[in-house]
């Protein structure tokens, strides 16, 4: 199976879906944040290994705790994936912290700040223009 084949893309999507369900509903570890999402999954063509990009909304401490909780539950997660998805081999999962969602939220806040300051500047300019118009009359 090639890396970008249709079959590999389907396997990636299915593992991502099942992994998200397991994290959301079946793991009872209190270290794992409820605001955890599976951003992407990449299963190797030989189905022996898998990288899962995980995003946690919250502070650095929550990210570390969630990653530690997921690593300790790796065996359980792998067993649940094997029960749910019929694959020749059940991949070993490596969790990687992905901060793209947090980066996007941060950029959105910065854009809002810039737009807010620009609208404030335009309101001040409009007010100054009105005052000069009144003074000329």
């Amino acid at each position: 199976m090639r890396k970008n084949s249709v079959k590999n893309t389907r396997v990636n999507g299915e593992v991502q879906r099942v992994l998200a369900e397991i994290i959301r509903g079946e793991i009872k570890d209190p270290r794992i944040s409820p605001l955890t999402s599976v951003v992407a999954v990449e299963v190797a063509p030989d189905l022996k290994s898998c990288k899962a990009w995980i995003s946690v909304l919250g502070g650095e401490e929550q990210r570390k705790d969630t990653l530690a909780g997921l690593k300790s539950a790796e065996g359980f997660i792998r067993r649940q994936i094997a029960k749910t998805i019929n694959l020749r081999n059940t991949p070993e999962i490596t969790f990687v912290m992905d901060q793209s969602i947090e980066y996007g939220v941060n950029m959105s806040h910065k854009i809002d700040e810039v737009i807010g300051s620009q609208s404030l500047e335009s309101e001040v300019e409009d007010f100054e223009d009105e005052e000069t118009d009144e003074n000329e009359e």
Side-chain angles (χ1 to χ4, degrees), residues 10 34 64 69 75 85:
R10 277 193 314 220
K64 287 180 182 178
I85 305 172

Side-chain angles (χ1 to χ4, degrees), residues 4-111:
N4 294 325
S5 69
V6 173
K7 182 179 177 185
N8 197 0
T9 305
R10 277 193 314 220
V11 169
N12 289 344
E14 188 65 17
V15 170
Q16 180 178 354
R17 184 186 65 76
V18 170
L19 184 60
E21 287 176 7
I22 292 169
I23 291 172
R24 182 180 49 238
E26 297 181 28
I27 298 178
K28 306 267 188 279
D29 193 333
R31 294 178 291 181
I32 298 174
S33 170
L35 299 174
T36 301
S37 60
V38 181
V39 177
V41 170
E42 186 176 301
V43 180
D46 62 356
L47 301 176
K48 296 208 186 258
S49 64
C50 168
K51 271 189 180 177
W53 283 269
I54 304 296
S55 179
V56 179
L57 196 62
E60 187 64 33
E61 191 64 32
Q62 283 181 316
R63 279 189 221 109
K64 287 180 182 178
D65 288 347
T66 298
L67 200 56
L70 289 173
K71 285 185 180 181
S72 71
E74 223 169 76
F76 172 78
I77 292 170
R78 190 171 180 204
R79 193 167 44 254
Q80 293 302 103
I81 288 175
K83 285 181 183 177
T84 309
I85 305 172
N86 185 17
L87 295 173
R88 185 179 321 121
N89 298 315
T90 304
E92 285 188 32
I93 302 169
T94 305
F95 293 103
V96 179
M97 195 53 68
D98 181 55
Q99 295 164 338
S100 62
I101 293 175
E102 183 181 344
Y103 179 77
V105 168
N106 189 21
M107 280 292 144
S108 178
H109 286 303
K110 288 182 178 181
I111 290 170

